[in-house]
Amino acid sequence: MPYHEVQPKPVSVLLVEDDDGDALLVRELFADSGAAVDLRHVRTMDDVPMWLDVDCVLLDLGLPGMAGLEALEALLRRPGSAAVIVLTGHAGTGQGLRAVAAGAQDYLVKGEVDPELLHRAVRYAIQRRRFELAERELYRAELRQYETSRLERALLPRPAVEDDRLEVDVGYRAGRDGLLGGDFYDVVERDDGVVLAVVGDVAGHGPDEAALGATLRTAWRTGVLAGLDAPVVLDVVERVLLAERARPEIFATLVMVEVAKDRRSLDLYLCGHPTPFLAGPPVVPLPATHRGRALGVPVPGGWSPARVELDDAWRVLLFTDGLVEPTVDGGRQRLGEDGLREIVAQALLADAGQPAGDVVDRVLEAVTARHGGHLVDDAALVVVGWAGWAA
C-alpha cells in the first residue's frame, strides 16, 4: 500500500478589509508562507456572519464608518470561538496595544508584515484563543461545582439529633443528569426531646427548583429550632414558598412526622405527599386519613395531624416520589408504592438487626436496579427508627 502523507487541515481565516489592494497583499503573503489557509474576504462589518465559524479573523481597524476600536467591539460581540488579530496602518504601538487590551489576541502593522510573521501570528493567536476558552470553561466548571456544593450543603443536611438511641439515616440520589433538584429532607431533635423529620419535593427539576428546595428546608429547620408548633412550621414554610417561587404555578409537596419524647407515638402531617411506611414488621403505609393540600396550591384547607401509636420497635420511612415513579423492567409500568413497599420489606429482612444506613442503601440500590439504570428524577429517603432494647 503506498504511503500517503496526511495533510494538515487548512486554517480558516476571515479577512475584514475594505481596501482590495491590502486584501490582495494578505492573500499573497499567505501563499508565500506555504501555510494551508482557507481565506475568505469581506469588505465591511455588515458582511461578517453573525456566527464566527472560522479559526481566526483579520480585522482592519480602518473600516469606513467605524471609528477606532468600534469594529473590534462589534466583532467581539459575535458568538463563536474565533481568534482576532487587528490590522492597523499606524506604526506606533498605541492602537494595537489598546486593541489587545480590548480583547484581540494580537495586532499587526500593515507594511511591516512578511509571510512568516503573518503565519506565525495567526497560529499563535489561535492557540491563545483556545487556551482562553479552555481556561474560561475550567472556571465555569469550578463555579458550577462550588454552587453544587453549596446546594448540597443546603439540601442535604446532617440530621441534628442528640438521642443516640434513636436510629436516623438519610439517602439521596440525584436524577439522571447528576444535578440536584427540588427534593429536600431534614431531621431535628428539639430541646424538649421531640424529634421532627421532613421530606419535601418542589415541583420541577433544575437549579431554580433546587435553590427553592434549599430555602424551604432552611425555613423548616429554623422554625423547628425556634420551637414553633408543627402546624405553624408548615405555615411558615408555605409563606416562604409563596415569597420565593419564581412562578405562581410552582408548588411543593411535603410530609412531616413529629415523634413524641417517649417514642411511643407520632403525629403525621401529609401535604400532598406520598404516605410514609411504618415497618414493624410488616411494612404498611401510615394512615392517610388526614391528607392535606400541597404547599402553594390556592385551594382551601390546611393541615391537621393523624396520631399514630407505635410499638416497642418501629421504623418509619419517608420518601419522595422519585422512589415510586420509576418504570421497571424496561417497560412502561411504574414501581408504585406497592412495589416500593416490597423492596423495603426485602431490605429490612436482609438487614435484620443492622443499622438503618444499610436499609437506606439497599432500598436505593434495589429501586435503581429495578429501573435498569440511573433514576430520571431525584430520590430522597429518610429512616427514623426505635428499638425496644434501646429504650
Side-chain angles (χ1 to χ4, degrees):
M1 177 181 295
Y3 172 77
H4 295 284
E5 183 178 354
V6 178
Q7 296 296 322
K9 180 182 177 181
V11 174
S12 57
V13 177
L14 176 65
L15 173 63
V16 188
E17 171 63 73
D18 66 309
D19 188 306
D20 291 337
D22 287 343
L24 178 60
L25 178 60
V26 170
R27 188 176 298 277
E28 290 177 347
L29 289 172
F30 274 127
D32 292 343
S33 72
V37 175
D38 176 13
L39 181 64
R40 285 185 278 167
H41 173 219
V42 296
R43 295 175 56 84
T44 69
M45 281 297 300
D46 292 338
D47 299 323
V48 176
M50 284 304 300
W51 181 273
L52 299 178
D53 57 344
V54 293
D55 297 318
C56 183
V57 177
L58 295 176
L59 175 65
D60 178 22
L61 288 184
L63 296 174
M66 293 285 183
L69 300 179
E70 185 180 354
L72 174 62
E73 293 169 354
L75 187 68
L76 294 177
R77 287 193 292 269
R78 305 286 174 94
S81 58
V84 179
I85 300 176
V86 298
L87 302 175
T88 174
H90 300 284
T93 60
Q95 190 177 42
L97 291 176
R98 287 194 297 272
V100 171
Q105 275 64 54
D106 204 347
Y107 72 94
L108 295 171
V109 179
K110 293 180 179 181
E112 298 182 5
V113 183
D114 58 36
E116 177 59 28
L117 175 59
L118 178 59
H119 180 212
R120 185 169 64 247
V122 169
R123 191 169 67 247
Y124 289 174
I126 293 171
Q127 292 301 321
R128 280 193 291 272
R129 177 60 173 163
R130 289 173 178 171
F131 176 77
E132 290 171 3
L133 293 174
E135 195 173 48
R136 185 181 305 171
E137 187 58 35
L138 177 61
Y139 171 75
R140 289 174 177 170
E142 291 174 346
L143 185 62
R144 284 194 297 269
Q145 180 60 40
Y146 172 72
E147 292 298 331
T148 299
S149 297
R150 288 182 60 195
L151 279 175
E152 285 179 346
R153 290 194 297 270
L155 280 169
L156 315 179
R158 293 182 179 179
V161 177
E162 297 294 331
D163 187 352
D164 56 8
R165 298 172 301 170
L166 196 68
E167 186 181 45
V168 178
D169 203 15
V170 295
Y172 190 101
R173 289 285 176 91
R176 179 170 295 165
D177 57 11
L179 300 177
L180 295 173
D183 289 10
F184 61 93
Y185 62 76
D186 207 350
V187 185
V188 174
E189 181 179 1
R190 290 197 317 226
D191 291 340
D192 60 2
V194 173
V195 172
L196 291 95
V198 66
V199 166
D201 183 3
V202 176
H205 185 80
D208 290 342
E209 289 76 10
L212 182 56
T215 301
L216 298 183
R217 202 282 307 170
T218 302
W220 183 88
R221 177 175 280 210
T222 301
V224 172
L225 292 177
L228 302 180
D229 292 338
V232 180
V233 171
L234 295 177
D235 289 335
V236 169
V237 173
E238 183 174 49
R239 291 176 64 183
V240 172
L241 168 66
L242 296 177
E244 297 293 332
R245 62 185 178 182
R247 301 182 304 280
E249 65 270 18
I250 292 178
F251 64 93
T253 66
L254 182 147
V255 58
M256 179 174 68
V257 296
E258 183 179 24
V259 181
K261 181 179 179 179
D262 61 7
R263 315 306 184 217
R264 299 293 183 175
S265 66
L266 64 80
D267 286 340
L268 169 65
Y269 294 84
L270 284 175
C271 309
H273 200 86
T275 308
F277 295 156
L278 175 64
V283 178
V284 296
L286 287 173
T289 54
H290 290 62
R291 181 178 293 278
R293 62 177 175 82
L295 279 66
V297 177
V299 296
W303 310 281
S304 60
R307 176 60 58 88
V308 178
E309 302 298 330
L310 301 172
D311 295 330
D312 291 339
W314 50 267
R315 275 175 171 151
V316 172
L317 294 88
L318 299 83
F319 50 87
T320 57
D321 58 10
L323 285 174
V324 298
E325 292 188 348
T327 56
V328 295
D329 302 329
R332 295 184 178 181
Q333 181 182 354
R334 298 189 182 277
L335 180 64
E337 295 187 19
D338 289 342
L340 178 61
R341 192 164 68 247
E342 293 177 5
I343 287 177
V344 170
Q346 294 171 0
L348 291 172
L349 183 62
D351 280 331
Q354 299 301 312
D358 295 332
V359 176
V360 169
D361 290 341
R362 282 184 178 273
V363 170
L364 292 175
E365 291 293 340
V367 172
T368 303
R370 284 293 306 276
H371 178 61
H374 294 294
L375 302 179
V376 176
D377 198 3
D378 303 317
L381 175 64
V382 171
V383 175
V384 180
W386 182 262
W389 56 265

